Amino acid sequence: MNAAVKPDPGAAPSTAPAQALEGLIADAMRACELPPEDARLVGRLMAEADLTGADGHGIFRLPQYVRRLKGGAVNPRPRIEVERAAPGVALVDGDNGMGHLVMSTAANTAIALAREIGIGWVGVRRSNHAGPAALYVDRLAQAGMVGIYSAVASSNHMAPWGGTSSLLGTNPLAIAIPGGDGAPPVLLDIATTVVSYGTIKKHALSDIPLPEGWLVSKSDGQPITDPKRSGEGLLLPIGGYKGSGLALMLGLLAGTLNGAAFGREVVDFNADSSTETNTGHLILALDVARFMPPAAFASVLQRQLDELRHDAPLPGTEGVRIPGDRRAALRQARARDGVPIPAPLRRQLDELAATLGIPTLAARQ
């Protein structure tokens, strides 16, 4: 795996500290009638997304979230309910609340179940877009759990293999394994498409061409490189038919199994600011301590990871990168230096702050 860190599309030299992002988001959420505690939690989780390099899922999404809250598509004061269906199994009804709040409840429930019997599987329905999958498996890893997460993406941009209709989403898969002794977790967070749609939107915001191999035309299958034509295209799956099949299976588990939307039922939250999405998620917690003492596991894990890291680099690459390494490095760098904010995004955020009557990012630095 190439260890080179790719530059953020459209990034400008200006940066903002994570605390400023968190404050802006929390104030915007309060302006949309979220209770103060909920607004702070959404702000913290969205800022964490930016700190860890998930730029398409952090403050970039704030104008869209505000539009949906103001448009009545999202319930600002949900009554999130947890039904323990059986030992080790629970179902969360998010009451159409902010996905970050719903998934925080689901993650905490999975941890509690796993502490009781060693494993906890939690399904979620009536949720919304919840940011990057890594947020929630990282929470489980911090609790000494292996975490596995997936969701039905909040819009469909991929066809089933061989088809031409947008019936599948970028349905992510995230897995985290606790590193122990303060080490970051081994954390894989991938879309089942070659690139997430959030990345397409970032390119469109800054008018940066798309590489070939990301998007193809629905009408003739030819590559699309103009991000402003993304509505005409289909995202390509990772690994050809394998990625399409994985997106389908994850969608059935996170959506259909939970009574949540899948396929044609999925509402495109990019284009719709008034309709409930009934987004589905799944999260699984597995207690490491049920297999071996956590310290012993961490020792073996770190030895094996060191062996992988010290493999001879393949010519043309910068050597092995373990899943989660780049995320941890970005978090450290951005906590120190600030989060890059592309100029077009800063303008959007300034306009949003003026509309909501809250201080701008610049006023918080």
Side-chain angles (χ1 to χ4, degrees):
M1 186 182 296
N2 193 321
V5 176
K6 297 178 181 178
D8 297 329
S14 65
T15 61
Q19 296 91 329
L21 272 61
E22 185 173 335
L24 176 64
I25 296 164
D27 284 351
M29 291 295 103
R30 281 194 290 270
C32 293
E33 302 184 5
L34 268 71
E37 184 176 349
D38 288 353
R40 284 192 293 271
L41 177 56
V42 173
R44 180 174 63 78
L45 290 171
M46 289 178 64
E48 182 69 13
D50 284 308
L51 273 173
T52 51
D55 298 338
H57 291 299
I59 200 167
F60 173 82
R61 294 282 183 180
L62 184 60
Q64 181 180 27
Y65 290 160
V66 169
R67 283 196 302 272
R68 286 186 54 77
L69 282 159
K70 292 290 190 181
V74 178
N75 180 3
R77 294 176 177 266
R79 295 183 60 183
I80 301 170
E81 297 182 351
V82 179
E83 177 189 353
R84 291 204 176 192
V89 180
L91 183 62
V92 172
D93 186 315
D95 194 26
N96 194 31
M98 285 290 293
H100 303 73
L101 304 176
V102 180
M103 273 310 304
S104 292
T105 297
N108 290 338
T109 301
I111 291 168
L113 291 171
R115 282 182 174 150
E116 289 176 9
I117 65 167
I119 190 169
W121 178 294
V122 180
V124 179
R125 64 183 172 215
R126 299 193 65 214
S127 181
N128 283 282
H129 189 270
L135 286 176
Y136 306 105
V137 292
D138 188 27
R139 169 77 181 90
L140 270 57
Q142 291 173 20
M145 309 283 175
V146 172
I148 300 176
Y149 168 90
S150 188
V152 178
S154 297
S155 53
N156 287 336
H157 295 288
M158 177 168 60
W161 188 250
T164 57
S165 298
S166 298
L167 295 174
L168 295 175
T170 59
N171 305 350
L173 174 64
I175 304 171
I177 300 172
D181 296 326
V186 183
L187 197 159
L188 177 72
D189 179 2
I190 58 171
T192 45
T193 46
V194 173
V195 67
S196 72
Y197 195 69
T199 301
I200 302 291
K201 287 167 66 69
K202 284 173 57 185
H203 276 66
L205 179 66
S206 299
D207 198 22
I208 298 174
L210 307 174
E212 287 194 15
W214 284 11
L215 203 67
V216 296
S217 169
K218 297 177 185 178
S219 60
D220 60 15
Q222 294 302 303
I224 291 178
T225 58
D226 180 355
K228 292 183 171 55
R229 292 182 55 210
S230 63
E232 305 169 26
L234 296 166
L235 287 175
L236 291 173
I238 57 172
Y241 69 90
K242 297 178 182 179
S244 176
L246 184 58
L248 188 154
M249 297 300 284
L250 292 172
L252 293 175
L253 290 173
T256 305
L257 185 62
N258 299 324
F262 177 71
R264 293 192 188 278
E265 301 164 349
V266 171
V267 174
D268 184 352
F269 85 141
N270 297 295
D272 188 320
S273 297
S274 61
T275 305
E276 178 176 342
T277 60
N278 188 18
T279 298
H281 316 254
L282 68 87
I283 190 162
L284 173 67
L286 186 66
D287 189 357
V288 169
R290 303 297 177 123
F291 293 84
M292 68 173 73
F297 175 73
S299 177
V300 173
L301 176 66
Q302 292 305 321
R303 175 177 58 77
Q304 293 174 340
L305 293 178
D306 286 344
E307 291 174 353
L308 296 174
R309 287 190 176 99
H310 291 109
D311 188 28
L314 181 70
T317 76
E318 295 183 19
V320 172
R321 189 178 78 207
I322 300 298
D325 280 359
R326 178 179 182 274
R327 183 176 187 271
L330 277 175
R331 194 187 194 290
Q332 184 178 35
R334 291 183 173 191
R336 181 188 64 238
D337 303 328
V339 174
I341 305 293
L345 176 57
R346 187 176 282 270
R347 288 193 293 271
Q348 283 191 358
L349 295 175
D350 287 347
E351 292 171 3
L352 181 67
T355 300
L356 297 177
I358 61 177
T360 63
L361 267 182
R364 299 170 190 270
Q365 297 179 236

